[in-house]
Amino acid sequence: LAKTTQPISMDSYEGQEVNITCSHNNIATNDYITWYQQFPSQGPRFIIQGYKTKVTNEVASLFIPADRKSSTLSLPRVSLSDTAVYYCLVGDIGNTGFQKLVFGTGTRLLVSP
Amino acid sequence: GAVVSQHPSRVICKSGTSVKIECRSLDFQATTMFWYRQFPKQSLMLMATSNEGSKATYEQGVEKDKFLINHASLTLSTLTVTSAHPEDSSFYICSARSLSSYNEQFFGPGTRLTVL
């Protein structure tokens, strides 16, 4: 499983756009990139997943360059409730899905008023 | 979306006792369930992977005789912490993967275990 590297923490203010970049230099051809959000004392929550280029859903966008060695999670106009830890994971979905998820350190995002 | 529940949400026990934590997939069948442990301010650490009807696969360093995992049905997996000690105090989280949504794992809300 490809190892990921993220900033330990980030600070932002309400209404700003937040971009969290994740490095995964050893990503394999079959690996997908998935981001999870975790609030204190709760289980992680799926945010977005992608393979290449750009993916957008109702809560975030995921930008993946052509070499796929990094990815950027973009949160538009964050609010206080976006304060959480964000995890970037890479793994091979394959025919039977992710065999297992290995969580890195994550990025602790603090949104202030 | 798919819902995974855990019971209990919080448990306090005396050292030496055993504690069972249940993980249920409420609206889907989970062929594979995963158990994680998370210490304060740290990331999730995968403990084991369990497939319905077969023995769990434990990660390196996780004692299978101490952390008993049973996945007897497609909607239920249990983790039993045997002879719990204070160092086992942690946040235990399960996740489940379904056949219909193979590219996503759904996480439970977690169980806070405190061993006195």
Side-chain angles (χ1 to χ4, degrees), chain A residues 34-48 84-89 101-104, chain B residues 2-4 6 34-38 42-45 91-96 104-111:
Chain A
T34 309
W35 286 79
Y36 282 84
Q37 175 193 55
Q38 186 183 28
F39 297 111
S41 296
Q42 294 187 27
R45 183 177 73 100
F46 175 91
I47 301 175
I48 198 167
V85 179
Y86 293 82
Y87 293 98
C88 160
L89 297 94
L101 292 177
V102 178
F103 284 77
Chain B
V3 179
V4 175
Q6 284 185 237
F34 305 84
W35 286 95
Y36 297 82
R37 180 167 55 180
Q38 186 175 33
Q42 294 187 23
S43 183
L44 285 78
M45 184 192 78
F91 192 53
Y92 291 87
I93 306 170
C94 73
S95 70
E104 183 177 346
Q105 284 187 26
F106 303 97
F107 285 82
T111 297

